[in-house]
Amino acid sequence: MQSKFFFLACLCLLVFTQCNYAQPKAAATNSEPSSVGKIELPDPKKMTKIVKSDEEWRTLLGEETYRVLRQGGTECAFTGSYWNNKENGIYLCAGCQLPLFESAAKFESGTGWPSFYQPIKKGYIEEKLDLSHNMKRIEITCARCGGHLGHVFDDGPKPTGLRYCVNSASLTFEKKQ
Ligand SMILES: [Zn+2]
């Protein structure tokens, strides 16, 4: 009798545990779209990293994009192509064309650099502590090609409170039709 009770208790525990595991997974799938318009959004966990030699990047990218994207440079504020862009569309990595930000998440930060409160998918952006120039900042890079995008700060607007401060040179823009 006792062993029967023990068996039933184990079974209940197993079902309960499985349910608990299943719920967050389902929620995560729903909140992560697989495309934006016609642009496919690859699964960050299955993405193949793009690796090129320094010489290949130098040939592929223009001088300013190479300096910012591959050498961690920063463009001068209010000089890039997109800080004041208000058009509807998608911002892609200038190195590998991974869709990074939607115009819906862009906001007026007053900094002179394109600013977003969230990326299209969190897994598309990698973060790294940057202690250069006597500052403590979080550098953001493209998760697929490793290109330098800018920095993320915690003084952004709702709903995330984050400010992804990105160089225009690290981005290309695709207007929504
Ligand atoms: Zn990239």
Side-chain angles (χ1 to χ4, degrees), residues 105-116:
K106 192 172 189 282
F107 68 96
E108 200 68 62
S109 65
T111 60
W113 289 286
S115 304
F116 307 86

Side-chain angles (χ1 to χ4, degrees), residues 50 57 69-70 93-98 100 142-147 149:
I50 292 178
W57 281 122
L69 208 57
R70 304 312 310 179
C93 171
C96 73
Q97 280 70 54
L98 183 68
L100 297 176
C142 169
R144 191 159 70 176
C145 73
L149 304 171

